[in-house]
Amino acid sequence: MSSLEEIKSILEEKGSRKSLLVTKKMTSSLSKKRARLSKKELGTFFYSILAKLLCLIPIAILFFLLIFFWSSSTTIISGKIIHLCFQSRKLNDLYCISAGTQPNLETPISSFSNGSFPSVNGTATKLVNDLQQKSTRLGIPIPPGYHAFRNGMVKSDEELLVAYNDVEDQLMVHRSWTSSQNNAKCDGRGIYVYELPTKFNKDLVSQCADMVPWVDLCSFFSNDAMGEPVEKLGKGWYQTHQYSLELIFHSRILNHPCRVMNRSEAELFYVPFYAGLDVLRWHFKNVSNDVKDSLGLDLAKWLESQPTWFKRSGKDHVFVLGKISWDFRRYNNSDWGSRFLELDEMQNPVKLLIERQPWHLNDIGIPHPTYFHPQSDDDIITWQLKIIKANRKSLVSFAGAPRPDAPESIRSILINQCISIETGECRFLNCSSGACDQPESIIELFMESEFCLQPPGDSPTRKSVFDSLISGCIPVIFDPFTAYYQYPWHLPEDYKKYSIFIDQEDVRNMKVNVVETLMKIPAGEREKMRRYIIYELLPGLVYGDPKSKLEKFQDAFSITMNNLLERLTRLE
């Protein structure tokens, strides 16, 4: 007899004994009561019992319905979350409804040692295995045993499956907030921009010269943080730093048509705290974690002194953070980053980041800033016409550097596959030599390429994904967390419209040659994807110049703000 059967037998035996004991006690009690009752009282008593039994009939029907539903479903418990999963005919897949707090993904489910959910009849195991052999609801493969998350937080296939489903559920919620309006309609929904003490933003920018040891960031923060113009690429192109989003967003929102100067007229509150710069200035300095956390704690105290903070417990407040979510969620026994997003005060507000934390609903991914900041619709149209006609001399290109110290990285494999193609179908730009420091080098390479390889780096997301898209180069994605699980407001749910997905597990295990695979994609299919990228996606992936007057197009900033206002309406 297995351990599960033994436990079941013991519980049934205990249940039978307990049931018998309860029955005896009830019988004894009823006998004594009947001895004391008169005939009339006895009749009243039995009528009362009969009425109660009749009332229980609807409950019994409901109970049997629940039994029927339960028999076709599977309950999975992971960490602090309960998932009720059932087979959907419409989706032809396993669908889970989750209830509870965020999953405790730092603790592995050690009792599940065989790679599948425990089940007496094997139903759960079969459903999970079927799902792994197919894909998630978005059609994204789930590789068994692949620990897709940072620092090995997911330690089993069961947790991996649950995590994928949770992320997709959250993206559905994010997409439900998408506005159908092309232009902002305030309708009484004012946006208030806090005037913070300068230590939370302007003073941080003033440290640009020594923020990072090997580069002076001051030139990157000029021109409203767009950086110096890049004349070779044309009008609207700048040397924009990848961590400049906080400053760019702040400049844009100051000119938003829904901005109000009176707090009482506001429904949305923007907090211009440059938390990314705060984290960045300590990355390469030997300071204590208390120092790294101090400014974030000061901001939390400052917000709690504002009456508007308590209007909706911070749910109507928005932060823009120009670094990845993990930099603000420092792990125990680690010196990297701050604990800013782990503060209690930061759980309710919306956080807009270049890379979101997969299990936090209020983390929303928005595009990395690119080098292109158009001032007008004509700037966008001119660029679209240029790249649709570009001579794409190479089939594949990869701009990046190998990661010899990261054994899980597939970059070295991709580089070897690229340079081994003697026909010149693949071009490799080695960023470790400084060749990628100039925007024109990157953009010109991507303009001349059909496909651009986008493997993960220090984290899943890459600025290069957006550089390739605005150059008309089809990105090749190897990890769904690079793009598909990040940007629900700016990239469509159907990722096949704009990208090629190749599972990095297949690359790592040498099951696929990426360049040879891309050679097999017909020219007509490539052209269809490119036209969708250039004419449908491109305008919404760039942040316009703060002085821009876009009428025909929505840029990344406008899409974000419209959806934030729509979210407020839906929550109300």
Side-chain angles (χ1 to χ4, degrees):
M1 183 181 292
S2 67
S3 58
L4 280 175
E5 292 173 342
E6 290 175 354
I7 293 172
K8 184 177 178 182
S9 175
I10 293 171
L11 289 175
E12 288 177 349
E13 184 180 348
K14 287 185 177 180
S16 299
R17 292 175 182 174
K18 186 175 182 179
S19 177
L20 181 61
L21 182 60
V22 171
T23 303
K24 288 182 177 180
K25 288 184 178 179
M26 290 177 63
T27 303
S28 176
S29 176
L30 183 60
S31 298
K32 293 178 181 178
K33 183 176 286 189
R34 289 169 68 182
R36 295 195 302 267
L37 294 174
S38 65
K39 185 180 292 186
K40 181 178 179 180
E41 289 171 330
L42 189 62
T44 303
F45 174 74
F46 278 110
Y47 277 123
S48 174
I49 294 295
L50 181 61
K52 290 180 180 180
L53 289 174
L54 290 174
C55 290
L56 288 175
I57 290 176
I59 298 175
I61 294 173
L62 177 61
F63 175 77
F64 284 114
L65 286 174
L66 288 173
I67 289 295
F68 172 78
F69 175 75
W70 194 265
S71 67
S72 61
S73 67
T74 300
T75 301
I76 302 168
I77 302 176
S78 174
K80 301 175 184 177
I81 282 192
I82 296 177
H83 302 265
L84 182 61
C85 303
F86 54 91
Q87 195 75 10
S88 167
R89 292 182 179 179
K90 180 179 178 182
L91 297 171
N92 192 28
D93 214 337
L94 184 69
Y95 187 82
C96 296
I97 299 175
S98 303
T101 60
Q102 67 188 52
N104 181 17
L105 293 172
E106 294 184 1
T107 305
I109 308 176
S110 58
S111 59
F112 302 169
S113 58
N114 62 352
S116 59
F117 293 108
S119 174
V120 175
N121 57 15
T123 301
T125 301
K126 182 179 185 303
L127 290 176
V128 172
N129 290 340
D130 287 348
L131 179 60
Q132 290 179 339
Q133 290 171 5
K134 293 188 289 185
S135 61
T136 69
R137 296 189 298 279
L138 294 184
I140 299 171
I142 296 182
Y146 168 49
H147 304 154
F149 299 94
R150 191 178 178 92
N151 289 358
M153 291 174 66
V154 174
K155 295 183 173 67
S156 67
D157 292 345
E158 298 80 17
E159 289 180 329
L160 186 63
L161 172 64
V162 170
Y164 268 76
N165 282 338
D166 285 344
V167 171
E168 292 189 359
D169 289 342
Q170 288 188 11
L171 291 180
M172 291 175 66
V173 174
H174 288 172
R175 289 193 171 96
S176 73
W177 298 330
T178 302
S179 173
S180 60
Q181 302 295 330
N182 288 332
N183 297 309
K185 290 190 176 180
C186 303
D187 296 330
R189 298 172 300 180
I191 301 171
Y192 183 79
V193 181
Y194 281 110
E195 186 68 33
L196 295 181
T198 58
K199 68 178 181 177
F200 295 116
N201 42 49
K202 294 178 182 178
D203 292 352
L204 293 172
V205 177
S206 68
Q207 301 177 35
C208 56
D210 60 355
M211 191 168 287
V212 179
W214 56 86
V215 61
D216 186 338
L217 295 177
C218 296
S219 63
F220 293 101
F221 295 158
S222 62
N223 293 319
D224 292 311
M226 293 184 296
E228 298 296 326
V230 182
E231 297 180 0
K232 187 176 181 180
L233 290 174
K235 185 181 178 183
W237 288 85
Y238 297 85
Q239 182 102 7
T240 305
H241 196 273
Q242 61 178 332
Y243 296 145
S244 61
L245 182 62
E246 294 161 350
L247 291 76
I248 291 173
F249 213 94
H250 192 186
S251 297
R252 288 294 303 278
I253 204 168
L254 291 175
N255 297 315
H256 196 280
C258 298
R259 185 189 175 195
V260 296
M261 308 306 293
N262 190 333
R263 300 185 188 203
S264 62
E265 300 174 5
E267 292 294 325
L268 188 67
F269 296 85
Y270 173 70
V271 186
F273 173 39
Y274 298 167
L277 297 188
D278 178 38
V279 166
L280 187 61
R281 63 176 173 156
W282 301 126
H283 270 342
F284 309 101
K285 295 181 176 65
N286 186 21
V287 298
S288 68
N289 287 340
D290 290 340
V291 171
K292 297 174 184 178
D293 295 337
S294 60
L295 197 60
L297 289 168
D298 288 348
L299 178 75
K301 293 178 182 177
W302 187 89
L303 286 171
E304 289 182 334
S305 70
Q306 308 300 308
T308 46
W309 175 255
F310 297 98
K311 181 180 178 181
R312 292 180 180 170
S313 303
K315 294 178 182 179
D316 50 2
H317 283 58
V318 178
F319 291 77
V320 175
L321 307 178
K323 293 186 99 275
I324 66 175
S325 181
W326 309 103
D327 286 336
F328 309 101
R329 301 183 187 277
R330 187 180 64 245
Y331 296 99
N332 295 331
N333 303 320
S334 172
D335 294 325
W336 186 267
S338 74
R339 296 280 294 174
F340 179 59
L341 292 188
E342 297 297 318
L343 299 177
D344 290 341
E345 294 85 352
M346 289 304 298
Q347 302 316 300
N348 287 337
V350 172
K351 284 82 66 176
L352 305 175
L353 306 110
I354 55 176
E355 179 177 319
R356 66 183 294 262
Q357 208 272 20
W359 308 290
H360 284 260
L361 184 64
N362 291 335
D363 274 21
I364 301 176
I366 61 175
H368 288 249
T370 67
Y371 303 116
F372 187 36
H373 304 281
Q375 280 194 7
S376 66
D377 294 333
D378 286 342
D379 290 347
I380 294 177
I381 294 172
T382 300
W383 180 251
Q384 288 175 322
L385 293 175
K386 183 175 181 178
I387 59 176
I388 198 68
K389 298 176 182 178
N391 179 19
R392 301 191 180 267
K393 298 179 289 187
S394 301
L395 178 71
V396 190
S397 67
F398 174 43
R403 298 293 172 91
D405 297 331
E408 291 295 312
S409 176
I410 62 171
R411 290 187 171 211
S412 295
I413 300 174
L414 293 176
I415 293 170
N416 289 334
Q417 290 184 0
C418 181
I419 62 179
S420 64
I421 301 294
E422 297 179 357
T423 57
E425 295 284 351
C426 187
R427 292 170 60 189
F428 170 52
L429 183 63
N430 192 345
C431 293
S432 61
S433 64
C436 301
D437 292 344
Q438 300 303 317
E440 54 266 36
S441 299
I442 298 290
I443 300 302
E444 288 175 357
L445 174 67
F446 290 170
M447 284 179 62
E448 295 175 353
S449 306
E450 297 268 9
F451 298 100
C452 294
L453 306 184
Q454 303 294 347
D458 295 327
S459 70
T461 65
R462 296 190 79 200
K463 175 182 179 293
S464 181
V465 171
F466 296 98
D467 290 333
S468 68
L469 285 168
I470 68 168
S471 304
C473 186
I474 301 167
V476 182
I477 306 296
F478 301 90
D479 185 332
F481 292 89
T482 296
Y484 309 150
Y485 290 159
Q486 293 291 343
Y487 311 106
W489 291 350
H490 298 82
L491 294 177
E493 183 175 344
D494 185 359
Y495 63 88
K496 296 178 183 178
K497 288 183 176 181
Y498 67 92
S499 69
I500 300 296
F501 180 74
I502 298 177
D503 192 343
Q504 65 178 334
E505 280 295 282
D506 290 339
V507 177
R508 186 177 293 113
N509 295 324
M510 302 296 185
K511 293 181 179 179
V512 61
N513 184 296
V514 173
V515 180
E516 292 177 357
T517 299
L518 297 175
M519 287 180 179
K520 299 176 183 177
I521 298 177
E525 186 175 338
R526 301 198 300 260
E527 182 63 21
K528 181 180 178 181
M529 294 175 68
R530 180 168 297 105
R531 296 185 71 85
Y532 178 82
I533 290 169
I534 293 173
Y535 292 118
E536 300 294 330
L537 289 187
L538 187 153
L541 302 180
V542 298
Y543 294 92
D545 186 298
K547 299 180 287 294
S548 62
K549 299 293 183 182
L550 300 178
E551 297 178 0
K552 181 178 180 179
F553 301 108
Q554 283 194 89
D555 71 344
F557 171 81
S558 298
I559 290 172
T560 301
M561 293 308 301
N562 288 349
N563 290 350
L564 284 173
L565 292 174
E566 183 67 22
R567 173 184 174 274
L568 272 181
T569 301
R570 301 289 177 89
L571 291 180
E572 290 171 354

